[in-house]
Amino acid sequence: MKFDEQVAIWNQTAVKIFDIRHTVMNPGERLEDYRLPASAYIYGTRGAANLQLDGVVHRTRQYYLLHGAKGMNLEIEAKEEFEFYLLFYKAKLAFANWRKLRDWLEQRSPFEIQYGFEPDEPRTLFILMSSMKRTLKSSGSLGSLQIKGMFYQFVHEVMQHRIAAESDSGQKDLVSMVTQYLHTHYHEVISLDLLARQYKYSPRYLSMKFKQQTGTSPIEYLIQYRINEARKLLSETDETLGVIAEHVGYSDEYYFSRLFKKYTGLSPSRYQAQARARENLAPQDNPSAISRSSIGLLNLRRYSDNDNHYQYSDGGFLTMKRIKKSSLILGTLISLTLLLSACSGGVNPASNSSASTTNVSASPSPYPDKISTETRTVSTVKGDVVVPAEPKRVVVLYMLGDVVALGVNPVGISEIYDGAAFSEQLKGVQSLGHWDEANPEAVLSLEPDLIIVSSENSYKKLKDIAPTVFIPADQITTEARIQKLGEIFGKKKEADQFMEAFNDKVKASREKLQAAGILDKTVSIVEGERKGMMVIESKHYGRGSQIVYDYLGMKAPEIIQKKIDLAKDVESETVSLEVIPQYIGDFVLRSTWEGMDNLMDHPVWNRIPAVKAGRIIEAPFGLFYYTDLYSLSAQLDYVTNSLLNNASKF
């Protein structure tokens, strides 16, 4: 049967998904003489096995999708621990009076065809299958509609993969394909595991072949390519460092700045200044530079105006490969789902009681899921989320010190910056990348039973992998955040105790500063280099603003304090060094990191009274980047002691 005919039939088909089984077989274990009770998708997601369907043998390695029809005989022999999903569905024409469709079905329907293949991009199929499993088991009254929508999307993905497999004209050179991919996608998050899965080789083999031909590893090649692209943009454009960093694949300009200096020996701003000096022309005076400045930058994702952690305003990072040839299915997905929603029964709604603990019975299956059935329901900004009562495999992004304070031991965390207060406590835990760009494949491999995120972007990417709780860390108070985490983990007592101890420390610190006569002095919090200095204008920005302006209750210079008093969100302003003196108070708290510009030879900076008197507090970036309770406690000690040590400089 032709693909176009299959697409036409799927577009006029009503479906009912009546069972999804998730199974793990031990090495050597066999399933014999099992007749499929309905059309089915068998999706292997881990390990190796021989699958035999009506006498046809399919040998799997990790991801493999097999489709079979009702009555076919299935046998499985696990060669190693083999994990798979088994989805049963029933399909029939919604418009049976279309004669051509009935003629095609009489010949052979797409629901009766046997086929198997290894998908090029297995993640989407995995997320859809696991999401359908959870929806079938525990969703509310809209579950029937939701699971049909996901199933049609699953079929759409399967058709795409089959078309791609049949239209592939030949095998390209592996290294050439990888190199081309890196050149095209360098602005996205890329890992060796992602490349290995993309081209269906082991990470070790792919890295070895790549190094043999290029002399370097794929990731090292990627970094060098990104740095070279950044050099061009720094030389040829007048874009900000943040925009350039994001364009070449780094949403965190601090990390990009460190990396750039490591590879070039210069900070980005210093490199740009030297490049301009060599040209002896500023971009606005150089016609060729102006013409080049628009290349590749028109479509850059911009940072959100109220973003204190370099988060994207548009979200997302991973571009999924799409083949437009079969888009007919996706185009009719919503309307078809609505039309056919009455064809299947409802799903028992989940409990809505906040923080309640229940025992959920698993659906009958000869292969029981290896998960805990004891749960609690917590309310979040995204609605109620059912989480394990005692999660064993937790992934946490950004709010690392909060979970450390509660005694939680995560299996996966976002990247920790050097100098973070909790570095030692989380030593050895798998890093998943930047807190707003965690690699979904890496998260999947950890098999988490709970994910905690603090950005909309991360929530969208990870919510279908496991129960995911979104806590907008920058939009709620520290107390509200730690209490919510205490509710999620069943550690309310520990949360209250840690918060109480922190408040006692704040009170003691204020008393010490009051006794030293400096509690009423003004403090400016700044970050930046020669090209511009960012001034913090909010109590909740980070970089020590919570400690200085909120908990200690100290003030900023009047020009800043007016904005702090009116700020309802995280706010900052970037000013030139020529006007920075009017923003500087009695003390300066300045973010510092390796490779930053040295301002001690800058005449304007050196004329500032606080600078001349040495009342500069160097705030290590890694320590002051985070706003979790554990980090805030360490920042409180650091700021209090630094202020006291400088009290005599008046």
Side-chain angles (χ1 to χ4, degrees):
M1 175 175 282
K2 298 178 181 179
F3 270 109
D4 290 343
E5 296 173 354
Q6 294 183 44
V7 169
I9 291 175
W10 274 114
N11 268 317
Q12 306 297 331
T13 297
V15 297
K16 179 178 181 180
I17 297 91
F18 57 89
D19 197 9
I20 304 176
R21 303 175 185 179
H22 178 207
T23 306
V24 178
M25 296 177 66
N26 296 319
E29 189 176 350
R30 297 175 63 92
L31 171 68
E32 297 180 341
D33 198 26
Y34 179 76
R35 295 207 168 271
L36 299 179
S39 297
Y41 283 105
I42 302 101
Y43 191 29
T45 58
R46 181 168 57 87
N50 287 342
L51 277 65
Q52 184 170 304
L53 190 60
D54 265 10
V56 179
V57 177
H58 301 260
R59 291 180 173 84
T60 75
R61 55 174 187 176
Q62 195 169 6
Y63 289 103
Y64 192 87
L65 184 74
L66 178 63
H67 181 271
K70 179 179 179 180
M72 288 186 176
N73 188 71
L74 174 66
E75 295 187 2
I76 302 176
E77 180 185 4
K79 295 299 184 181
E80 55 188 60
E81 190 171 74
F82 179 56
E83 183 175 4
F84 67 95
Y85 287 83
L86 184 56
L87 181 151
F88 294 110
Y89 73 93
K90 189 173 183 180
K92 65 179 180 179
L93 283 183
F95 303 104
N97 60 343
W98 192 354
R99 183 172 180 178
K100 183 178 290 187
L101 288 180
R102 285 189 283 117
D103 291 342
W104 287 341
L105 282 173
E106 288 175 2
Q107 296 172 21
R108 196 171 191 191
S109 78
F111 324 126
E112 297 175 348
I113 298 174
Q114 178 182 163
Y115 55 84
F117 62 90
E118 293 182 9
D120 288 334
E121 294 180 356
R123 174 178 169 267
T124 306
L125 292 176
F126 178 90
I127 290 176
L128 286 167
M129 182 68 83
S130 58
S131 298
M132 286 188 288
K133 174 74 169 85
R134 288 196 299 273
T135 302
L136 186 66
K137 181 176 179 179
S138 60
S139 69
S141 59
L142 290 177
S144 174
L145 180 65
Q146 183 182 9
I147 198 170
K148 285 182 179 180
M150 287 187 287
F151 179 76
Y152 285 117
Q153 179 64 40
F154 184 86
V155 173
H156 174 248
E157 294 291 335
V158 170
M159 296 290 284
Q160 284 185 321
H161 286 294
R162 292 181 64 199
I163 292 172
E166 293 200 1
S167 62
D168 190 2
S169 59
Q171 181 72 17
K172 295 182 181 179
D173 174 69
L174 173 61
V175 175
S176 297
M177 288 192 297
V178 173
T179 302
Q180 182 179 355
Y181 183 89
L182 295 177
H183 289 183
T184 304
H185 299 275
Y186 69 91
H187 56 280
E188 302 172 8
V189 173
I190 298 175
S191 67
L192 182 60
D193 284 342
L194 182 147
L195 293 172
R197 292 186 182 185
Q198 176 80 8
Y199 297 103
K200 296 188 286 189
Y201 289 95
S202 71
R204 182 175 177 274
Y205 178 82
L206 187 148
S207 184
M208 178 187 68
K209 297 297 289 185
F210 195 93
K211 194 166 187 177
Q212 285 177 352
Q213 293 191 33
T214 66
T216 187
S217 69
I219 300 305
E220 182 68 19
Y221 181 93
L222 172 64
I223 293 173
Q224 293 177 3
Y225 188 84
R226 285 171 166 172
I227 296 299
N228 286 335
E229 290 297 308
R231 282 172 169 168
K232 296 176 187 177
L233 296 174
L234 286 167
S235 300
E236 301 171 2
T237 78
D238 202 29
E239 288 288 350
T240 65
L241 180 61
V243 171
I244 291 174
E246 194 272 332
H247 179 70
V248 298
Y250 301 105
S251 66
D252 188 334
E253 62 181 288
Y254 160 69
Y255 176 75
F256 165 71
S257 182
R258 288 196 310 166
L259 198 64
F260 189 91
K261 184 173 183 181
K262 176 182 176 182
Y263 279 82
T264 67
L266 298 170
S267 69
S269 59
R270 181 74 70 178
Y271 178 89
Q272 187 176 59
Q274 290 189 5
R276 299 283 169 78
R278 285 193 299 269
E279 292 180 3
N280 199 27
L281 284 172
Q284 61 267 26
D285 301 322
N286 186 341
S288 63
I290 293 175
S291 65
R292 290 194 301 268
S293 69
S294 64
I295 298 175
L297 291 178
L298 294 178
N299 294 323
L300 283 181
R301 292 170 291 182
R302 302 289 173 171
Y303 299 120
S304 56
D305 293 336
N306 61 354
D307 177 28
N308 60 322
H309 301 301
Y310 313 114
Q311 171 182 335
Y312 304 145
S313 59
D314 64 343
F317 76 91
L318 190 60
T319 303
M320 292 296 179
K321 182 170 66 179
R322 290 287 180 256
I323 301 173
K324 297 181 179 178
K325 186 174 179 181
S326 62
S327 60
L328 180 60
I329 297 176
L330 188 57
T332 58
L333 173 62
I334 296 177
S335 59
L336 186 57
T337 302
L338 292 171
L339 173 67
L340 305 175
S341 61
C343 295
S344 81
V347 182
N348 291 331
S351 170
N352 289 322
S353 58
S354 178
S356 62
T357 302
T358 56
N359 288 322
V360 181
S361 300
S363 56
S365 168
Y367 312 111
D369 292 350
K370 294 186 176 182
I371 59 173
S372 171
T373 57
E374 191 172 345
T375 63
R376 65 165 53 86
T377 302
V378 294
S379 59
T380 76
V381 294
K382 296 294 183 181
D384 288 353
V385 179
V386 179
V387 303
E390 296 183 3
K392 304 297 184 184
R393 303 188 60 80
V394 181
V395 166
V396 182
L397 306 183
Y398 186 65
M399 295 171 284
L400 307 181
D402 287 329
V403 298
V404 167
L406 294 176
V408 176
N409 298 314
V411 297
I413 57 176
S414 50
E415 176 187 8
I416 300 177
Y417 286 132
D418 296 339
F422 42 76
S423 296
E424 193 62 31
Q425 287 80 356
L426 295 177
K427 188 176 182 179
V429 181
Q430 181 170 335
S431 175
L432 301 168
H434 188 270
W435 68 273
D436 193 40
E437 297 177 352
N439 188 325
E441 286 82 3
V443 175
L444 273 173
S445 69
L446 291 175
E447 301 181 354
D449 55 6
L450 178 62
I451 302 173
I452 308 292
V453 300
S454 60
S455 79
E456 187 84 35
N457 185 34
S458 296
Y459 177 80
K460 290 177 180 177
K461 290 189 299 184
L462 305 178
K463 64 183 178 65
D464 292 323
I465 295 176
T468 302
V469 177
F470 171 41
I471 301 177
D474 293 336
Q475 299 175 24
I476 60 176
T477 65
T478 302
E479 185 172 6
R481 187 181 68 247
I482 199 72
Q483 286 179 346
K484 176 57 67 176
L485 288 167
E487 175 189 356
I488 293 168
F489 292 108
K491 292 178 176 287
K492 187 177 183 303
K493 181 179 179 181
E494 290 88 339
D496 290 341
Q497 289 175 343
F498 204 92
M499 196 70 225
E500 183 179 356
F502 176 73
N503 288 331
D504 289 342
K505 182 187 286 189
V506 170
K507 182 180 179 182
S509 297
R510 285 178 54 85
E511 291 173 352
K512 291 177 183 178
L513 296 174
Q514 182 72 51
I518 56 176
L519 188 61
D520 60 346
K521 301 299 181 181
T522 58
V523 181
S524 300
I525 303 176
V526 299
E527 176 179 307
E529 303 182 272
R530 291 175 179 269
K531 191 173 181 179
M533 188 73 73
M534 181 178 70
V535 180
I536 307 304
E537 299 174 340
S538 167
K539 292 182 179 180
H540 305 290
Y541 191 99
R543 313 299 195 272
S545 61
Q546 285 97 328
I547 295 299
V548 174
Y549 300 138
D550 191 4
Y551 293 110
L552 292 178
M554 299 183 74
K555 301 294 184 181
E558 185 177 2
I559 190 174
I560 302 175
Q561 191 61 45
K562 289 179 180 178
K563 297 177 181 180
I564 291 176
D565 293 339
L566 296 175
K568 296 181 179 180
D569 207 335
V570 291
E571 300 288 349
S572 68
E573 180 181 1
T574 299
V575 300
S576 68
L577 281 181
E578 282 65 32
V579 299
I580 195 66
Q582 60 185 296
Y583 291 85
I584 302 300
D586 298 318
F587 291 93
V588 184
L589 187 69
R590 184 192 178 201
S591 296
T592 59
W593 60 83
E594 182 182 356
M596 64 183 290
D597 285 350
N598 184 356
L599 299 179
M600 298 315 295
D601 61 349
H602 196 286
V604 176
W605 180 257
N606 280 323
R607 287 198 298 267
I608 297 174
V611 175
K612 291 173 64 176
R615 296 192 299 271
I616 299 179
I617 300 173
E618 295 187 348
F621 188 91
L623 175 61
F624 281 82
Y625 179 80
Y626 300 93
T627 59
D628 57 82
L629 191 56
Y630 198 92
S631 296
L632 289 178
S633 181
Q635 291 169 23
L636 177 62
D637 291 337
Y638 188 97
V639 170
T640 301
N641 292 333
S642 297
L643 289 171
L644 292 173
N645 290 337
N646 283 277
S648 61
K649 296 180 180 179
F650 282 98

